[in-house]
Amino acid sequence: MTTSALQPNLDPQALATALGARHVIDGVLTPSRGGQGLPVFNPATLALIANAAAGGAADVDAAVGAAKRAAKGWASVKARDRGKAVSACGALLAQHSEELALLTALETGKAIRTESRVEAGVLADVFVYFGGLASELTGETIPFAPDVLTFTLREPVGVVGAIIPWNAPLLLMALKVAPALVAGNTIVVKASEEAPFGVLRVAQLMQQLLPAGVFNLIVGDGPGCGAALSAHPDIAKLTFTGSVGAGRSVYLAAAEKLVPVTLELGGKSPMIVMADADLAKAAAGAVGGMRFTRQGQSCTAASRMFVHRSIHDAFVEAVCAAVDAMVMGDPMDEATDIGTIISQRQFDRVQSYIALGQGLCAENPGAKAHACSALPTDPAFAKGLFVRPVIFTGLGNDTRLAKEEIFGPVTMVIPFDTYEEALAMANDSEYGLGATIWTRDLGVAMDAVHRLEAGFVQVNQNTVVQPMLSYGGVKTSGLGKEASLASMLAHYTHKKTVLINMAR
Ligand code: NAD
């Protein structure tokens, strides 16, 4: 690897071309054994960016082999030195944050100012945060018997297999790699075939600061590459972020091998707005919570909004006006608020839900599809995967629109008359990832905090996942948590109990 290849490169197209159809295995950029078959398109223009690796079983085997060879050495590095290396990775990635932001905007279509630059900043922060937690990998002493010294040790699990999606690839990878490495594990990450280059660049850069084989990254599709990683006999722990269907496959593979698994899956997150809420703040929270800037492609998107009937119309008007004022266009343009959908497949899926909703509106008098913002007019983006955000009103919580995860810029506003009615609708979902309630009544807020069936509950705000806050879902939204010290200890270490009989 030449030194110049490791300098910040603000030409994302050149960077993607240079990375090409390769993996990072055993410390080096490695051509794919599985071939070069996965074209990655710029979703704003549908122009080919570059072909990515189509990793298969041979690539997985090479990466897991490298991680296995590196495991013993990395586990024996002093915990604080591992932490320093991971923190240094954060500092290095911060130096490269603009190039990573540009690369992310190019391959995902997420707007540079509102999304991609923010994600690149959080990426670095996650490494710095976890690096500082190395000294917390402590055990405890247990008063078992006076003459038996009894204590626990935190030990690494071994080689971790991590599978990530495309919607926030830098962040979601960091939430797995940083704690796994600090805890003394080595790791093989399988990147999404739809957004491989940003994370490939991160892996390439981090090799400067880590021993070879500690962090490997392969690119490939789910059924071929992801399934091979899940099934690999030398993987001691699986961690997956993505859809419920693929998560089930990973869980089955983990069950077959009897290895622990963390699953961060989908959501259909409710937002309850009580009559006494600050309407302006709640409307702004709805826009942020629904992640319109990311075309709604967020697992915690507030895709079901339950609003007290007395303020329903004013709320809808305020949210529509705010989204109307947002600029949709070139993800690379600083003036853009909303970029594109990631892929043609996802675009078609979102459009099918919008068509479904429009059909329901035609059948239900009073129901309406409020399409907001405006498609870009620049002919350069005529083929781009832009979708006007749609806010449906007048449709029930029993429709497919309310039950299924759309993962696009589509939300519903549903009126309620009583708090109990709102709570019942909020909990009437197979998912349980995020939930918010907006009210000035502390008693109502605390009641909702206890009764909302979700892993991440907020009152009077709709913020995103943050380092130090345990994050994860209940019900079909997943198993286990990420992003905190507690999650690092629970998911990337095992506790060994030791008894030393000191009787003389
Ligand atoms: P996806 O399930 O299609 O793909 C996710 C990853 O799994 C990709 O790398 C894919 O190649 C791989 N994969 C697919 N099938 C596989 C299989 N059989 N075995 C192993 N790996 C397989 O999901 P997506 O479309 O990339 O992402 C969107 C989904 O991710 C949404 O459901 C969203 O809610 C969820 N998500 C959840 C969180 C969270 O923290 N809970 C965060 C982001 C996204």
Side-chain angles (χ1 to χ4, degrees):
M1 219 175 286
T2 62
T3 317
S4 64
L6 298 172
Q7 295 304 310
N9 182 344
L10 298 182
D11 180 344
Q13 177 57 57
L15 200 46
T17 306
L19 291 165
R22 293 190 278 179
H23 314 288
V24 171
I25 297 177
D26 214 2
V28 288
L29 268 182
T30 309
S32 178
R33 294 158 174 81
Q36 310 196 350
L38 296 177
V40 180
F41 297 98
N42 175 349
T45 60
L46 290 194
L48 179 71
I49 299 174
N51 282 326
D59 300 279
V60 168
D61 207 40
V64 175
K68 194 176 174 191
R69 286 192 298 279
K72 209 168 165 188
W74 183 244
S76 63
V77 171
K78 281 184 192 165
R80 280 213 62 216
D81 289 343
R82 287 197 306 262
K84 284 177 191 166
V86 169
S87 292
C89 288
L92 176 70
L93 295 173
Q95 287 166 18
H96 287 260
S97 69
E98 189 59 14
E99 71 162 41
L100 292 168
L102 290 165
L103 197 48
T104 301
L106 178 74
E107 67 179 347
T108 67
K110 294 196 298 184
I112 185 77
R113 176 178 51 82
T114 56
E115 287 287 337
S116 295
R117 196 173 285 132
V118 179
E119 186 181 342
V122 180
L123 163 82
D125 191 34
V126 170
F127 280 96
V128 172
Y129 166 71
F130 276 107
L133 295 183
S135 55
E136 303 298 326
L137 292 158
T138 56
E140 63 243 318
T141 53
I142 299 159
F144 173 64
D147 52 1
V148 181
L149 174 61
T150 308
F151 58 95
T152 60
L153 295 172
R154 290 277 176 191
E155 294 190 339
V157 180
V159 179
V160 174
I163 299 173
I164 57 169
W166 46 262
N167 65 321
L170 303 179
L171 168 64
L172 298 172
M173 180 174 80
L175 290 176
K176 300 183 187 307
V177 173
L181 297 191
V182 169
N185 306 281
T186 58
I187 191 164
V188 178
V189 175
K190 205 281 295 170
S192 166
E193 61 275 38
E194 288 172 329
F197 297 121
V199 289
L200 193 53
R201 178 65 168 167
V202 171
Q204 179 196 28
L205 293 169
M206 282 176 55
Q207 300 311 309
Q208 299 168 79
L209 297 167
L210 297 171
V214 166
F215 172 22
N216 308 273
L217 183 134
I218 49 176
V219 180
D221 68 8
C225 195
L229 182 61
S230 308
H232 198 288
D234 289 333
I235 291 291
K237 150 95 198 171
L238 282 162
T239 174
F240 172 87
T241 302
S243 62
V244 173
R248 277 206 181 95
S249 304
V250 172
Y251 202 5
L252 285 170
E256 196 63 46
K257 297 191 301 177
L258 283 178
V259 298
V261 62
T262 310
L263 300 174
E264 301 291 342
L265 308 178
K268 196 77 192 173
S269 299
M271 170 174 173
I272 298 175
V273 186
M274 301 297 293
D276 67 343
D278 182 322
L279 187 65
K281 283 188 183 164
V287 175
M290 184 49 214
R291 314 278 188 272
F292 283 114
T293 50
R294 201 192 291 171
Q295 285 282 19
Q297 299 169 121
S298 163
C299 48
T300 35
S303 48
R304 295 182 302 141
M305 301 183 187
F306 302 103
V307 180
H308 192 269
R309 199 177 298 281
S310 63
I311 54 167
H312 173 273
D313 292 356
F315 177 86
V316 170
E317 196 182 320
V319 174
C320 287
V323 184
D324 261 337
M326 295 169 86
V327 176
M328 196 187 309
D330 181 1
M332 296 294 181
D333 189 336
E334 297 290 335
T336 296
D337 296 304
I338 304 177
T340 69
I341 298 282
I342 179 84
S343 64
Q344 190 68 51
R345 175 182 68 102
Q346 189 65 13
F347 180 86
D348 294 343
R349 188 180 137 82
V350 170
Q351 293 290 19
S352 76
Y353 277 103
I354 293 174
L356 171 73
Q358 286 166 334
L360 290 173
C361 287
E363 291 163 13
N364 290 276
K368 192 168 170 193
H370 306 254
C372 303
S373 188
L375 296 175
T377 51
D378 184 339
F381 301 108
K383 291 187 186 159
L385 303 175
F386 296 93
V387 173
R388 293 184 71 197
V390 183
I391 297 159
F392 284 100
T393 54
L395 298 176
N397 195 42
D398 55 350
T399 57
R400 275 185 56 207
L401 284 189
K403 295 211 166 299
E404 297 173 15
E405 184 184 45
I406 300 173
F407 222 60
V410 181
T411 192
M412 314 178 67
V413 182
I414 299 172
F416 68 86
D417 294 302
T418 66
Y419 165 65
E420 289 298 332
E421 188 192 345
L423 198 65
M425 286 194 287
N427 286 338
D428 184 16
S429 170
E430 67 167 295
Y431 294 107
L433 191 51
T436 61
I437 181 160
W438 292 73
T439 177
R440 289 186 170 103
D441 185 327
L442 190 56
V444 170
M446 283 309 295
D447 187 74
V449 162
H450 290 296
R451 293 170 65 196
L452 280 166
E453 296 167 3
F456 199 74
V457 176
Q458 300 180 68
V459 178
N460 293 335
Q461 62 168 37
N462 284 59
T463 193
V464 294
V465 55
Q466 308 278 340
M468 89 186 280
L469 304 180
S470 287
Y471 179 85
V474 296
K475 302 200 269 188
T476 53
S477 288
L479 294 174
K481 306 286 175 195
E482 288 194 323
S484 63
L485 169 62
S487 69
M488 177 174 82
L489 297 177
H491 300 304
Y492 294 107
T493 70
H494 74 81
K495 206 185 238 191
K496 179 180 277 178
T497 303
V498 183
L499 298 93
I500 301 179
N501 192 320
M502 301 182 301
R504 289 203 275 169

